[in-house]
Amino acid sequence: MNDETAALLFDVVERLEKNIAARERPAIVALQAERLLVLSDYDYLRDEQAAAAFETRAADKVREVGATRWILAVPQVWLITPDKVYSRAMSSHPLREGEQEAITWMSFDQGDGVDYGRVPYTRRPSGEPVFDDPEMFTIGVRPAEHMPGHVLLQACFPDEDGEDPR
């Protein structure tokens, strides 16, 4: 990840951390073109259709403004097992055994490609979140269709026959 993309990642993560501390849970995408455009969506975690609609709108903006890099960050709950990583939308319910809250992020840079990572966090007894530093996955990631950023990437990069998958 180059310095410009890393700076954008830290900006987006900081924005989302402030929202989480305020007990809000939007998805945030920052698009870098000639100027920075930041979009957020509070319905993203409601269901897959709301998430796909937001990512589709973001992809339309990527093309409209000619963005060369972007970061999408979403608050989620993770469960890491020896074989897989499971994620789900955050809710007001307590965490189950082994679950951890995290900001899931996906970055794209025209020169560097795609990276994925997370920002794990815990909560003090008062409910105040304490965030770790962003982590980037160093192993190959094969994102599932429901992973944040999947629709955005598919909409920005049509499949091999030139068809837009929407």
Side-chain angles (χ1 to χ4, degrees), residues 77 88 91-97 99 101:
V77 174
R88 66 173 174 86
S91 70
S92 57
H93 301 291
L95 296 175
R96 293 175 226 150
E97 172 117 19
E99 289 184 329
E101 292 176 299

Side-chain angles (χ1 to χ4, degrees), residues 81-138:
T81 69
D83 299 329
K84 291 186 180 183
V85 174
Y86 298 93
S87 63
R88 66 173 174 86
M90 297 181 72
S91 70
S92 57
H93 301 291
L95 296 175
R96 293 175 226 150
E97 172 117 19
E99 289 184 329
Q100 180 181 28
E101 292 176 299
I103 295 170
T104 303
W105 60 265
M106 185 271 307
S107 70
F108 170 81
D109 181 276
Q110 201 167 43
D112 290 340
V114 178
D115 288 306
Y116 296 94
R118 70 182 192 139
V119 179
Y121 63 97
T122 57
R123 293 189 184 266
R124 292 190 168 118
S126 66
E128 177 188 0
V130 178
F131 298 95
D132 287 340
D133 292 328
E135 300 172 353
M136 182 167 47
F137 301 136
T138 57

Side-chain angles (χ1 to χ4, degrees), residues 1-165:
M1 176 178 293
N2 65 42
D3 291 343
E4 293 87 5
T5 305
L8 186 58
L9 172 62
F10 283 109
D11 177 40
V12 171
V13 165
E14 182 178 331
R15 289 171 190 261
L16 192 49
E17 286 174 354
K18 288 178 182 176
N19 276 277
I20 291 168
R23 302 200 186 284
E24 298 177 351
R25 295 176 250 177
I28 297 177
V29 64
L31 314 174
Q32 184 68 60
E34 286 185 26
R35 63 182 179 87
L36 180 65
L37 176 63
V38 179
L39 309 170
S40 62
D41 187 272
Y42 288 85
D43 291 333
Y44 188 96
L45 296 175
R46 185 184 67 213
D47 56 41
E48 287 185 27
Q49 292 79 18
F54 177 65
E55 290 188 29
T56 300
R57 288 191 307 275
D60 291 343
K61 284 293 183 186
V62 165
R63 289 188 293 275
E64 180 182 321
V65 302
T68 57
R69 75 177 47 90
W70 68 80
I71 307 286
L72 173 67
V74 179
Q76 291 188 311
V77 174
W78 283 45
L79 175 63
I80 300 173
T81 69
D83 299 329
K84 291 186 180 183
V85 174
Y86 298 93
S87 63
R88 66 173 174 86
M90 297 181 72
S91 70
S92 57
H93 301 291
L95 296 175
R96 293 175 226 150
E97 172 117 19
E99 289 184 329
Q100 180 181 28
E101 292 176 299
I103 295 170
T104 303
W105 60 265
M106 185 271 307
S107 70
F108 170 81
D109 181 276
Q110 201 167 43
D112 290 340
V114 178
D115 288 306
Y116 296 94
R118 70 182 192 139
V119 179
Y121 63 97
T122 57
R123 293 189 184 266
R124 292 190 168 118
S126 66
E128 177 188 0
V130 178
F131 298 95
D132 287 340
D133 292 328
E135 300 172 353
M136 182 167 47
F137 301 136
T138 57
I139 59 169
V141 175
R142 298 181 70 189
E145 288 184 21
H146 68 277
M147 184 170 179
H150 182 79
V151 171
L152 176 57
L153 284 172
Q154 295 299 310
C156 288
F157 301 104
D159 61 17
E160 295 168 3
D161 62 6
E163 294 294 316
D164 186 331

